[in-house]
């Protein structure tokens, strides 16, 4: 699937690559759906994910919404990817963690492959950065500022809106869980 050096895969080929990496769903990213919203930052500060103020990849350390918008506006294409799976019931925390783990593994594989062709691509993950066993925030600088991955939410994106406008679902039904990420290129 991966082309020879010098031949960059287009969006449709990256979608195929994403499915080969293990994602349940993948699609071209609707760039017009990337709206950087202060209200998503308010959701972050409610700290339901227990990551607010605990990582260089998350608010407030990650910087302003304006900075997020400026960074993303350098890119003109992208793909959106999802890992979905069934849960035993709506309290199935182990099942949720297993799907998240699969999603992170799929995303690491995909980002590695996309970077081969697009070294300056911008990955936006699901959840806080897990590059290090323990984040250095706030005592020391980030160990890997070039590899740190912030979540779509940290960029101020409403993930459900981006997924639906890109032709995917956000919720795949009762007793399922789905994690969503994206990679911007060009
Ligand atoms: S790369 Fe390491 S230090 Fe930097 S944000 Fe991620 S976990 Fe924290």
């Amino acid at each position: 699937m991966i082309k020879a050096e010098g031949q960059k895969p287009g969006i449709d080929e990256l979608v195929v690559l994403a499915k080969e990496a293990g994602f349940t769903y993948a699609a071209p990213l609707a760039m017009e759906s990337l709206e950087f919203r202060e209200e998503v930052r308010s959701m972050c500060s409610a700290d339901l994910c227990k990551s607010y103020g605990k990582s260089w990849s998350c608010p407030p350390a990650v910087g302003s919404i304006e900075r997020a918008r400026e960074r993303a506006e350098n890119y003109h294409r992208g793909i959106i990817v999802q890992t979905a799976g069934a849960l035993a019931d709506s309290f199935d925390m182990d099942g949720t963690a297993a799907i998240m783990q699969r999603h992170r593994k799929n995303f690491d594989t995909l980002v590695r492959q996309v970077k081969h062709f697009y070294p300056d691509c911008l990955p936006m993950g699901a959840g806080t950065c897990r590059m290090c066993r323990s984040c250095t925030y706030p005592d020391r600088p980030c160990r890997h500022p070039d590899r740190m991955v912030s979540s779509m939410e940290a960029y101020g994106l409403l993930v459900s809106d981006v997924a639906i406008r890109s032709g995917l679902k956000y919720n795949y039904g009762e007793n399922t869980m789905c994690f969503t990420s994206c990679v911007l290129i060009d």
Side-chain angles (χ1 to χ4, degrees):
M1 169 58 211
I2 292 189
K3 296 187 170 188
E5 197 87 36
Q7 285 180 282
K8 292 186 178 187
I11 290 297
D12 290 343
E13 288 162 304
L14 291 181
V15 167
V16 173
L17 200 62
K19 289 182 179 164
E20 289 174 355
F23 289 105
T24 321
Y25 304 104
L29 179 66
M31 297 303 287
E32 68 279 8
S33 72
L34 302 186
E35 294 178 20
F36 304 89
R37 307 168 190 242
E38 285 293 348
E39 63 264 32
V40 176
R41 279 294 170 83
S42 307
M43 289 156 63
C44 284
S45 59
D47 199 21
L48 295 177
C49 66
K50 308 290 180 213
S51 298
Y52 184 84
K54 296 184 182 68
S55 167
W56 292 111
S57 70
C58 289
V62 76
S64 67
I65 284 287
E66 195 49 43
R67 189 172 149 208
R69 180 185 294 113
E70 282 171 9
R71 187 158 184 222
E73 279 178 354
N74 291 320
Y75 297 85
H76 302 98
R77 298 189 293 164
I79 59 169
I80 180 167
V81 293
Q82 294 180 320
T83 307
L87 301 176
D89 54 46
S90 54
F91 302 102
D92 183 3
M93 293 300 132
D94 289 345
T96 300
I99 298 166
M100 176 53 122
Q101 198 173 7
R102 255 175 49 222
H103 184 73
R104 287 185 183 279
K105 187 165 164 281
N106 296 342
F107 198 58
D108 286 349
T109 301
L110 179 68
V111 169
R112 200 168 49 244
Q113 292 178 331
V114 174
K115 279 191 171 174
H116 180 77
F117 298 103
Y118 299 95
D120 297 327
C121 68
L122 178 59
M124 298 183 189
T128 193
C129 179
R130 300 269 182 216
M131 189 76 64
C132 311
R133 190 179 296 268
S134 167
C135 187
T136 56
Y137 183 83
D139 303 321
R140 295 185 307 284
C142 173
R143 290 190 189 97
H144 309 288
D146 297 339
R147 293 166 59 202
M148 176 187 89
V149 175
S150 290
S151 67
M152 292 176 70
E153 289 91 342
Y155 276 85
L157 299 175
L158 195 56
V159 178
S160 55
D161 184 59
V162 176
I164 290 165
R165 289 167 72 181
S166 299
L168 299 178
K169 293 182 183 174
Y170 179 65
N171 184 332
Y172 288 89
E174 199 178 349
N175 295 336
T176 66
M177 180 53 66
C178 177
F179 292 99
T180 304
S181 298
C182 63
V183 186
L184 276 58
I185 61 170
D186 283 349

